[in-house]
Amino acid sequence: MRVGAALPMTELGADTAALSRWATTVEGQGYDSIVVYDHVVGAEHRDRTPPITRDYDETTPFREPLVLLGYLAATTASVELMTGILILPQRQTALVAKQTAEVALLSGDRLTLGVGLGWNVVEYETLGVPVADRGRRLDEQIDLLKALWSDELVSLDGRFHHVERVALSPRPARAIPLVFGGGSAAAVRRAVRVGDGFFFATPSRDSRDLHATLLERLEAAGRPVEEFRTVVQVHAARGEEDLKRSLEPWQGKGVDDVVIATVQNRMLGAVAERCRDIEEHLELLGRARKIVETVLGD
């Protein structure tokens, strides 16, 4: 089992020096991956229709993930770099293909692209993309991404893309691994059909039920479970006992990666651990890692 660390960007804000020190320290301590989050804009919650019920708002700092991973490609040497999760349908597909190819080249093929649909209607509207078609758009985007990463010349006449004889140059040395995130059976079906893994944002009961659906889908599709990556994110800010309880039901479930998040937000409910600076984030990360390895380690 591999252990990754989620960059606490919402609490480090614009402090690039702290961000860099966190990343190099995490790599030096032997973590297998660094995961970065994605929101292009935040939105004020007041008087919205439909209402916004998630934790993030216009004051929450998010760094741009692909530019950030290009920076981390230069400041780290071996750790995997992963988006968890990039909201792909609100972006131009060919541009994402170009940006991710660049990160893969800069990092020596250390990029794993985690993608999903997202939930922020305001963000879609701000970027000029209809939210209603995001699932169908994502399906077509995956086809185009894979072609642009690998083919010498690409044409696609689809519902959302009209591409005629184009190419990326340079292209990545290999296809960039694709991990899907989400909380629905549709997300699982998509991952089994065209993905390399699935990212569960929490180790909750809903995630465990969805994982059971994932295993059924993999078997039905004839895909070996051991060749499909299962990534589970845990939230250390809830406290050590909560962390142990949330991990125990995943024992023996074939979890390949656990990603530890140390940020605290209102969606977590009662928070037992509040990190005031980078050192406290790293210290909490270390304590949580010991629990993860004790509960789920081989």
Side-chain angles (χ1 to χ4, degrees), residues 178-197:
L178 280 165
V179 172
F180 287 80
S184 68
V188 164
R189 290 194 298 271
R190 183 176 291 112
V192 170
R193 187 174 68 251
V194 294
D196 302 297

Side-chain angles (χ1 to χ4, degrees), residues 10 25 60 76 90 134 151 158 173 191-192 202 207 211 248 267:
T10 58
T25 301
T60 308
T76 61
Q90 65 188 18
R134 65 192 189 280
D151 296 353
V192 170
T202 69
S207 290
H211 180 252
E248 285 168 356
M267 291 180 67

Side-chain angles (χ1 to χ4, degrees), residues 5 9 19 26 45 50 59-60 91 96 117 119 150 152 163 178 190 197 200 218 245 263 274-275 297:
M9 65 168 69
L19 181 153
V26 162
H45 289 200
T59 67
T60 308
R91 288 174 164 79
V96 172
L117 295 178
W119 55 267
S150 62
E152 293 184 0
V163 175
L178 280 165
R190 183 176 291 112
F200 295 93
L218 287 170
R245 286 193 299 270
V263 294
R274 297 180 184 272
C275 300

Side-chain angles (χ1 to χ4, degrees), residues 59-123:
T59 67
T60 308
F62 281 89
R63 307 296 287 264
E64 203 293 312
L66 296 177
V67 175
L68 173 58
L69 290 181
Y71 172 74
L72 293 181
T75 59
T76 61
S78 59
V79 69
E80 178 186 22
L81 306 173
M82 180 187 296
T83 55
I85 296 294
L86 187 81
I87 311 306
L88 184 58
Q90 65 188 18
R91 288 174 164 79
Q92 295 171 300
T93 311
L95 181 58
V96 172
K98 185 70 171 181
Q99 291 171 316
T100 52
E102 188 65 29
V103 175
L105 290 164
L106 291 171
S107 66
D109 291 318
R110 290 188 280 135
L111 175 65
T112 292
L113 185 62
V115 299
L117 295 178
W119 55 267
N120 194 331
V121 174
V122 177
E123 196 166 31

